[in-house]
């Protein structure tokens, strides 16, 4: 599936704009990739062909039996903790490493962020291992579109700082996309400097539609800039 995705997107851009790669076109941005999209209903888990065998090889236990016991309310050391580790490894190899290798071979960056990078528990359930995923990014990033300096973001900010101290030259934050419009310049400066304290030195604004008609159907809204 990822090979097909690259062929239909990245390869097409390269075919038409090859001469701009590495200069005008600096890289690709991936936004909230996650395996949780395959299991959005309650009491469901992501799945791929061969996960049963991978689970057994990892802990010498039956995935089906452990999952059944989990839904009975039993506490297990292996499920879902080992299960999410397996999903994370698979996700990393199939998605992030493939796209990262393509970008490196075509002289462009890979940046962006994963799903739920400001919440440890939700992050595990959506990516398996947030930190390992971001290691494949040229410019690893997080998402703070609500422009909130709350304690939840300290985890994500600190993770980016660790990556920067271990070889990454830059780090990214997607800021200000959902406003509010009334935010003062002092508050904006405070957020930017808070990011800078953790070595985050690149920022992105979310791209959206050109008018606000869609906002009538959702509670959040895009910032006017």
């Amino acid at each position: 599936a990822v090979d097909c995705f690259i062929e239909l997107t990245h390869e097409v851009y390269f075919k038409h704009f090859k001469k701009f790669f590495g200069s005008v076109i600096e890289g690709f941005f991936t936004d909230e990739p996650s395996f949780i999209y395959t299991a959005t209903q309650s009491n469901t888990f992501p799945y791929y062909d061969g996960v049963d065998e991978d689970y057994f090889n990892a802990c010498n236990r039956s995935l089906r039996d452990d999952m059944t016991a989990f839904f009975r309310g039993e506490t297990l050391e292996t499920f879902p903790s080992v299960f999410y580790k397996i999903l994370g490894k698979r996700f990393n190899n199939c998605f992030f490493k493939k796209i990262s290798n393509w970008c490196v071979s075509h002289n462009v960056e890979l940046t962006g962020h994963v799903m739920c990078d400001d919440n440890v528990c939700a992050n595990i359930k959506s990516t398996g291992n947030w930190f390992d995923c971001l290691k494949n990014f040229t410019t690893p990033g997080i998402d703070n579109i609500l422009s909130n300096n709350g304690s939840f973001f300290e985890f994500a900010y600190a993770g980016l700082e660790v990556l920067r101290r271990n070889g990454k030259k830059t780090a990214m934050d997607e800021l200000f996309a959902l406003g509010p419009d009334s935010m003062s310049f002092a508050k904006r400066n405070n957020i930017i400097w808070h990011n800078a304290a953790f070595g985050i030195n690149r920022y992105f604004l979310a791209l959206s539609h050109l008018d606000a008609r869609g906002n009538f159907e959702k509670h959040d809204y895009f910032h006017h800039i």
Side-chain angles (χ1 to χ4, degrees), residues 174-192:
E174 185 179 356
L175 285 171
F176 307 127
L178 293 181
D181 285 337
S182 59
M183 182 185 298
S184 67
F185 284 107
K187 176 67 179 296
R188 293 181 192 176
N189 285 341
N190 174 267
I191 293 173
I192 290 176

Side-chain angles (χ1 to χ4, degrees), residues 141-158:
I142 63 166
D143 181 13
N144 188 1
I145 58 175
L146 294 175
S147 312
N148 185 349
N149 272 346
S151 59
F152 281 118
F153 287 97
E154 300 298 312
F155 158 72
Y157 289 161

Side-chain angles (χ1 to χ4, degrees), residues 1-42:
V2 178
D3 291 337
C4 181
F5 169 62
I6 292 174
E7 181 181 352
L8 295 176
T9 54
H10 298 60
E11 289 287 357
V12 176
Y13 281 117
F14 185 71
K15 177 182 178 182
H16 290 281
F17 306 113
K18 179 179 179 179
K19 66 179 180 179
F20 299 113
F21 268 54
S23 55
V24 176
I25 299 176
E26 298 182 30
F28 286 84
F29 187 104
T30 184
D31 193 63
E32 299 184 358
S34 169
F35 51 65
I36 199 63
Y37 298 117
T38 63
T40 56
Q41 299 181 11
S42 61

